[in-house]
Amino acid sequence: MVGLTPAEDRSEIAFFDVETTIPFRVGQGYAILEFGSILVCPKKLVELRNYSVLVRPANLKLITPRSVKCNGIKREDVESAPTFADIADTVYDILHGRIWAGHNILKFDCPRIREAFAEIGRDPPEPKGTIDSLALLTQRFGRRAGDMKMATLAAYFGLGNQTHRSLDDVRMNLEVLKYCATVLFLESSLPDELIENSVTTTTPETSSRRRRNIKTSPLQSPADHQRGENSTTIPILSFVSSAEAQTDPFDMSTLRNEIAPEVLQSDVPMEEEQNQQSETVTSEGTCDQERFLELDKMSISSIRATHVPLYDGSQTMKVQLCLGDRPLQLHCPHLKVRFGINGKFMDKAGRRRLNFVVDLYPSLSNVLQECDNAAQTISVDSGSDSDWNPAVIPMKGFLNCPTARIHIPTELNGDVDRYAAEIHQKEFSGAIATQKLISSNPKAGEIESLLNPGTVLDAFLSLEPYDYQQRAGIRLVARKLVIH
């Protein structure tokens, strides 16, 4: 371990990472188990000095098997380690007045540092700027590497496995930034056709050259925007002030302001559309509509969650939502698309995970909220401490306008470019409505062209609770979509 000594020159970038315990009950905080940092020359991006130290928490019982599984730090590893109060002076000297950098530090590492200083009754260090590589690379590099986690980015560039130890992680973070910057620099110098033909794993929206035609990024200056196609400046690192560092890098308010006004003109979806006069419907396709429940025939009080085998004969259990003894699947007519297809994430097979957002009318919102309550209760009762993501998403700035995200399932077998949802077109002939099958295994392009903001559709949904990597919730999966 090479110690960092106090220095008057605060121009270095302080890359840092903390490893912590994992809370196992509601209201419990995190305890720092390890702090690691490197000081980096901003002109050459080389490591100048480093510091790492294990930290003994006030209560060793906070180190649970789940915590050990995440970072490998056991109780015996920190029994004789210093407390955070013992290392606070060193941590303060490393961080205070410097640019802070790290992966997802705005949402995780920075709050943990401030909490740790608050617990010992001291003022926390303050940065003169912050670089969150998660937000930065998502905006500049795109999601061509997948979910943008450090482990995924490292695997994408062949940098080895993430150890989830502080000093290793900050060094890996720096290397990932260098690789991403190099790719962006090279792409800025290549003809468009070479980029299109060579970057085979990217999706259309992740090509850096194409992003020049998009509106000004939150990290781009107005001057950059004015230069447009003639600009060859690729910002490798972006700095924000300490005040700006506290904002959410994934705030959707900017995107919401750019959406066509006609899509947002109605805050409350019209319930009467859902309750309109019944019509005779004939349908093509293989999706069995009878197993999907009509909202007006449901009793919310009968919704329950239960444990069932993951598959026939399995000892592993999963949570299933039911109405009485019947698996809960919903027929949701007359949904209006709020945000069109988002396909920035990839699954392990390299397929785009497609989803879109719809407005909810009150009856559907009430059903989904009850499903959330039932599934979350059984999840907590079974010992899960994962963060719960509600199915009903409130729209900030729009009164009484809840939304939900609907996922298009991927085809598990066969063509990796196709998806396992039936797409129909609703057509009318007098009082008879006909559902014409467009595709039983559509491609991504077909789905994207049909699901635009303002599109009205009927959705046949399965409700699938999940609990994975400390995140839990209910995924609304489209088995059939009928486009109006």
Side-chain angles (χ1 to χ4, degrees):
M1 179 178 72
V2 181
L4 291 163
T5 57
E8 293 183 1
D9 181 11
R10 316 298 286 181
S11 63
E12 306 101 331
I13 302 171
F15 280 79
F16 75 95
D17 177 76
V18 295
E19 296 299 327
T20 70
T21 59
I22 298 176
F24 52 84
R25 62 172 179 266
V26 176
Q28 188 178 64
Y30 296 84
I32 292 179
L33 299 178
E34 187 177 41
F35 174 86
S37 178
I38 59 175
L39 294 188
V40 173
C41 171
K43 295 181 179 179
K44 298 181 180 180
L45 292 185
V46 295
E47 179 181 327
L48 301 175
R49 290 170 286 168
N50 66 71
Y51 174 80
S52 66
V53 62
L54 289 169
V55 182
R56 185 177 77 251
N59 183 2
L60 289 174
K61 292 182 179 180
L62 295 176
I63 303 177
T64 62
R66 182 188 288 265
S67 169
V68 174
K69 184 178 180 181
C70 178
N71 52 45
I73 301 175
K74 303 176 182 177
R75 294 180 184 179
E76 53 265 33
D77 296 331
V78 298
E79 282 178 338
S80 59
T83 65
F84 188 81
D86 296 328
I87 66 165
D89 286 340
T90 304
V91 173
Y92 188 93
D93 182 70
I94 292 169
L95 297 179
H96 187 66
R98 285 192 169 98
I99 299 291
W100 294 4
H103 204 67
N104 198 33
I105 61 170
L106 291 180
K107 287 192 172 183
F108 188 80
D109 302 84
C110 292
R112 303 293 85 79
I113 290 294
R114 291 188 169 89
E115 290 166 1
F117 273 90
E119 287 176 3
I120 61 173
R122 290 187 51 172
D123 292 334
E126 294 296 339
K128 65 179 179 183
T130 307
I131 305 166
D132 191 324
S133 57
L134 174 60
L136 175 64
L137 295 181
T138 300
Q139 292 170 327
R140 294 302 192 196
F141 191 70
R143 297 186 183 273
R144 67 185 81 183
D147 60 15
M148 302 306 290
K149 293 181 179 179
M150 185 53 59
T152 307
L153 289 162
Y156 181 81
F157 290 114
L159 297 176
N161 296 324
Q162 184 183 14
T163 64
H164 287 286
R165 296 301 296 270
S166 294
L167 197 56
D168 290 342
D169 283 4
V170 292
R171 284 173 171 159
M172 179 173 280
N173 193 176
L174 178 59
E175 290 304 305
V176 164
L177 276 171
K178 290 178 181 179
Y179 273 78
C180 290
T182 301
V183 170
L184 291 174
F185 174 77
L186 291 175
E187 287 184 353
S188 71
S189 305
L190 291 173
D192 288 342
E193 57 270 19
L194 289 183
I195 296 174
E196 298 297 334
N197 293 333
S198 63
V199 187
T200 57
T201 59
T202 64
T203 58
E205 67 270 29
T206 59
S207 168
S208 63
R209 178 64 61 89
R210 289 179 185 177
R211 287 199 302 273
R212 293 182 180 179
N213 294 326
I214 300 176
K215 293 186 177 182
T216 306
S217 162
L219 293 180
Q220 187 176 16
S221 69
D224 292 334
H225 181 52
Q226 290 173 1
R227 284 194 292 268
E229 284 291 338
N230 297 324
S231 171
T232 58
T233 302
I234 300 295
I236 296 177
L237 298 176
S238 295
F239 301 94
V240 296
S241 68
S242 57
E244 292 170 333
Q246 306 309 313
T247 62
D248 183 358
F250 297 104
D251 182 13
M252 293 182 67
S253 59
T254 303
L255 172 63
R256 196 174 297 124
N257 292 335
E258 294 174 1
I259 296 175
E262 59 270 19
V263 180
L264 303 179
Q265 61 186 354
S266 174
D267 278 358
V268 183
M270 291 185 293
E271 182 95 7
E272 55 266 26
E273 288 187 8
Q274 190 258 334
N275 294 324
Q276 70 178 4
Q277 184 177 358
S278 61
E279 56 203 17
T280 304
V281 179
T282 61
S283 176
E284 302 173 355
T286 59
C287 182
D288 181 9
Q289 294 186 189
E290 293 183 357
R291 56 193 173 96
F292 294 88
L293 298 167
E294 303 290 340
L295 293 173
D296 57 358
K297 298 179 181 178
M298 290 179 53
S299 171
I300 291 182
S301 61
S302 299
I303 295 174
R304 65 187 184 90
T306 184
H307 283 111
V308 298
L310 186 61
Y311 52 86
D312 289 342
S314 172
Q315 298 298 313
T316 303
M317 306 299 284
K318 68 175 182 179
V319 176
Q320 183 178 72
L321 286 163
C322 301
L323 187 72
D325 296 325
R326 181 177 177 180
L328 184 56
Q329 298 186 94
L330 300 177
H331 172 209
C332 307
H334 296 277
L335 297 177
K336 182 180 290 186
V337 176
R338 168 76 64 159
F339 300 129
I341 286 292
N342 175 359
K344 293 182 179 180
F345 293 98
M346 302 285 185
D347 65 12
K348 292 181 179 180
R351 295 170 292 205
R352 295 169 64 199
R353 292 176 173 173
L354 304 184
N355 61 78
F356 61 101
V357 175
V358 298
D359 293 329
L360 301 179
Y361 34 77
S363 60
L364 178 54
S365 179
N366 293 338
V367 168
L368 294 181
Q369 286 176 341
E370 185 61 31
C371 291
D372 259 331
N373 293 337
Q376 185 177 13
T377 298
I378 196 172
S379 177
V380 172
D381 289 347
S382 63
S384 173
D385 60 354
S386 298
D387 293 331
W388 188 265
N389 299 316
V392 178
I393 309 167
M395 283 286 289
K396 294 181 180 179
F398 296 91
L399 298 175
N400 303 319
C401 189
T403 62
R405 188 177 303 276
I406 296 177
H407 299 261
I408 308 293
T410 53
E411 182 65 75
L412 296 180
N413 301 302
D415 190 342
V416 298
D417 292 329
R418 293 187 176 274
Y419 292 80
E422 289 186 7
I423 305 294
H424 295 246
Q425 184 81 45
K426 178 173 279 191
E427 299 176 348
F428 289 89
S429 177
I432 299 177
T434 302
Q435 295 178 7
K436 182 180 179 181
L437 179 65
I438 299 175
S439 179
S440 57
N441 290 107
K443 289 188 175 182
E446 296 177 80
I447 300 173
E448 286 179 301
S449 66
L450 292 169
L451 301 181
N452 298 305
T455 298
V456 177
L457 53 83
D458 301 342
F460 294 81
L461 306 175
S462 61
L463 281 64
E464 301 179 2
Y466 66 91
D467 191 335
Y468 181 68
Q469 293 185 344
Q470 291 297 109
R471 299 179 71 86
I474 300 172
R475 186 173 286 108
L476 309 183
V477 181
R479 299 302 172 186
K480 174 179 175 180
L481 296 174
V482 182
I483 311 298
H484 289 215

